[in-house]
Amino acid sequence: MGKKKKVQAITPMGEDFARWYTDVITKTEMVDYAPVKGFMVIRPYGYALWENIQAAFDKRFKETGHQNMYFPLLIPESFLNKEKEHVEGFAPEVAWVTHGGENELAERLCIRPTSETIICSMYAKWLKSYRQLPFLYNQWANVVRWEKTTRPFLRTSEFLWQEGHTVHATFEEAQEETLQMIDIYREICEDYLAMPVVVGQKSEKEKFAGAHATYTIEALMHDGQALQSGTSHNLADHFAKAFGIKFLNKEEKEQYAYSTSWGVSTRLIGGIIMVHGDDYGLVFPPKIAPTQVVIIPIAQHKEGVLDKANELKNKLSDLRVLLDDNEAYSPGWKFNQWEMKGVPVRIEIGPKDIENGQCVIARRDTSEKISVSLDEVENKVKELLDEIQSNMYNKALKHREEHTKAAKDMDEFKKVQSEALGFVKAMWCGCAECEEKIKEETGATLRCVPFKQEDIGSDTCVYCGKKADKLAYFARAY
Amino acid sequence: MGKKKKVQAITPMGEDFARWYTDVITKTEMVDYAPVKGFMVIRPYGYALWENIQAAFDKRFKETGHQNMYFPLLIPESFLNKEKEHVEGFAPEVAWVTHGGENELAERLCIRPTSETIICSMYAKWLKSYRQLPFLYNQWANVVRWEKTTRPFLRTSEFLWQEGHTVHATFEEAQEETLQMIDIYREICEDYLAMPVVVGQKSEKEKFAGAHATYTIEALMHDGQALQSGTSHNLADHFAKAFGIKFLNKEEKEQYAYSTSWGVSTRLIGGIIMVHGDDYGLVFPPKIAPTQVVIIPIAQHKEGVLDKANELKNKLSDLRVLLDDNEAYSPGWKFNQWEMKGVPVRIEIGPKDIENGQCVIARRDTSEKISVSLDEVENKVKELLDEIQSNMYNKALKHREEHTKAAKDMDEFKKVQSEALGFVKAMWCGCAECEEKIKEETGATLRCVPFKQEDIGSDTCVYCGKKADKLAYFARAY
């Protein structure tokens, strides 16, 4: 793109990735810091992205038979205490409501950090017979977790998410649901967010507080750090026993039910930014971009230019298209502005183009520019959006593959990590001590034991050297 | 509807309206009581209705140039204190967070009862120049108001709503926005919710805490009580001054901005139920009904019946259609069940119908049944849904008109009220004392001074008898 200048100094990724991230999210007006420490304001450009992400997930949830509902924000302290592991995991990070109006409450209420406890208490009330099962419900909501170190989208004291909560008659059905949902997460991340993920199981140490098993999708960011992007938990009968979710089975015997929960959050926005962004700013996958096409008229004061630009806009009206006819800024300024904002396709149209019956189309992902006849522009743009979507996925996949290395022992582990951060594939004996030691020595945590196991030419634990039959992914993580 | 029996005893409206309401909302599984007093669980059937209501409003907000965003749940106490009238109005009913994790907070945080204060604090940071104006933003969120007496949907300690918050360069533009939004509320209530409303201005006593002027839409429920269903506030420069929302105007002089806010909430669900419901349960307007058409197969075990029912379902697939092929229940039970759930159109199809190439269509609003050829069913159902939508509106309007009476003095006021509750139209001198006295003596509050003024043959205040040039609507209200 030759002589292009950056509009508003964004710190280059290579110089300081954390500052690059902060620059990008604030200068593009995705987000701002709230007056209360650790909280964020999601600005319209960020929220429009979230709405598109939501729509993609919500559609799949509904297609697989889930319905939305809404549970209260506040949970009695006694509820949180019912599941032992759960309270240990969450109590240190909840916000407590102690007063309602002018009165002190008899029992403290916590702002939901997640809703298993309150939802299970109602499920226990509603469930009577196997005929009612499964319960396939979800809610879109805000949650609060009092975090010490925060970064917008990635870790904030309040975030938006969906939490699915299902109940089943058998452990096997709960397991099937848990795996179905982690696969839907993978599908949406890959197909809509153009973000390749490794799918696998969390270790005992990293699993959800109160779960039998946690499955995860892990994405690799541009700086080689991993981002846990969604999790799905088989809760077995743990919460059912804690809250008394029982039903009469086909044999007319009372038994406990099995439940699952699963969630993705506004954290995904941080993932999209750090997977696709570059030194010029955001790069959004067409399927979820708030604006897919921006039309920028050249010499818009000249007769016929704005008319043609509007004509073009109308032609593309089944896309998310924006005509930037703001007179206060030059086309060059607008090019840079919308490039920074990550709009996948830019169309330039000026007097000369109109004379030749064409316009210029520029791609955000590769910076290529082509001239297209005005008759063909509709098809060409749609074709291009598809191409950009798959190109972005392939590029991200290539980056991940280049930053995924195998290691047979700790020397090799440290060596590959010192060359470049990324995923380290290594055999693991399954014990928590080795997992902990690896973290201490390398800063890398066990991201997951992937579903796709492979032979890396070793069958001994990367740490202790004992027999090991599990391949695991390790990485430093957000 | 002849020999039909009610499936689950719903208390008749005429016997006890409050119990009728409670029966209907719980037996149809719209909502349940949460473990924390005053809070509600919105169940899937209730939430699906809310999603359709949301979609109708959100579309109009976006068409009029508004964008969504998201602000933090928690507001520092000091912010609430900045606007004097505002804090007086809201402080008595907010929930206070005093602890985050294990630590006591340096400053208490309140859970937003409404977000003017935190939003204005950010607007003050963002706004620099008149070129940025107007700010046209909205958020969909949960809010908490610690209420003493609650009833699901109508008044709950937590509810879901949208709150629009806009900023303008002049008072006039803020006023224009305020009026535009109350008119959009009227439009959606009338066109989608089939709920006629009176549009007008609140008295000083009833206006929003901190506003210059509040406009309202008031609907009349089946029992003759009014429901404030949406409000739009011109905040003038009150919040701008409290939070320092200033900008450089065209003359390069710094000046304060003007702001508005406006909201509708899950309270609307209560309104829909109490405007349209009957002794058999819910009656939903087709445009927002979670299920518009339910197909009930007769003798579904007989060959070909379920095939035909599925064929029918596919034909109607651009509607929200549900085929109830549950074997555990009889068609008769299903008729009553879906009637109670307010589905606008029911289709019955059995072996005899199939033989005759037809099906039976029943309307929820009038209980009429007709036989329709299977070739025409698609057009007929769509036609019928339109007809039901407008019939429901007209019926509700007729009810309101029959329950709106004029009164020239307090004797007449009390007399019309004793005959039947409803709106009382009366002249009002404009003073708060008369407003207060009327409330004391009749229980009726001043709902609004309607935009549509009319001559009721009096020009003196219904209470004090002094000269009066305002016609006002009074009613007991939820």
Side-chain angles (χ1 to χ4, degrees), chain B residues 282-344:
Chain B
L282 300 168
V283 185
F284 283 152
K287 283 193 187 172
I288 51 160
T291 299
Q292 296 173 305
V293 180
V294 63
I295 302 172
I296 298 176
I298 315 291
Q300 67 179 65
H301 58 281
K302 295 217 173 146
E303 209 191 316
V305 173
L306 278 182
D307 288 347
K308 263 293 181 230
N310 271 302
E311 221 174 84
L312 206 53
K313 186 186 165 190
N314 291 335
K315 261 191 195 170
L316 300 172
S317 65
D318 52 339
L319 300 172
R320 295 186 289 274
V321 60
L322 186 145
L323 167 59
D324 185 355
D325 56 3
N326 191 330
E327 290 175 6
Y329 298 99
S330 71
W333 192 92
K334 290 177 190 173
F335 291 178
N336 293 341
Q337 189 66 16
W338 291 111
E339 177 176 65
M340 182 173 79
K341 289 201 150 202
V343 175

Side-chain angles (χ1 to χ4, degrees), chain A residues 184-243:
Chain A
I184 284 178
Y185 287 170
R186 178 202 58 72
E187 176 195 321
I188 302 293
C189 283
E190 296 187 347
D191 293 357
Y192 284 77
L193 282 49
M195 187 168 95
V197 291
V198 176
V199 194
Q201 187 171 353
K202 284 283 182 196
S203 64
E204 283 298 301
K205 187 174 165 289
E206 300 279 342
K207 76 176 187 192
F208 178 74
H212 166 76
T214 289
Y215 301 90
T216 180
I217 49 170
E218 301 279 328
L220 198 69
M221 304 296 102
H222 207 90
D223 66 344
Q225 292 202 74
L227 185 77
Q228 177 181 306
S229 305
T231 48
S232 181
H233 319 293
N234 183 341
L235 306 173
D237 56 6
H238 302 184
F239 284 85
K241 283 187 170 156
F243 288 89

Side-chain angles (χ1 to χ4, degrees), chain A residues 32 68 70 94 99 101 158, chain B residues 51 70 94 96 99 101 126 158:
Chain A
D32 204 348
N68 289 330
Y70 185 77
V94 298
H99 290 73
E158 181 189 13
Chain B
E51 286 182 312
Y70 187 75
V94 297
W96 292 103
H99 290 74
W126 296 339
E158 180 188 12

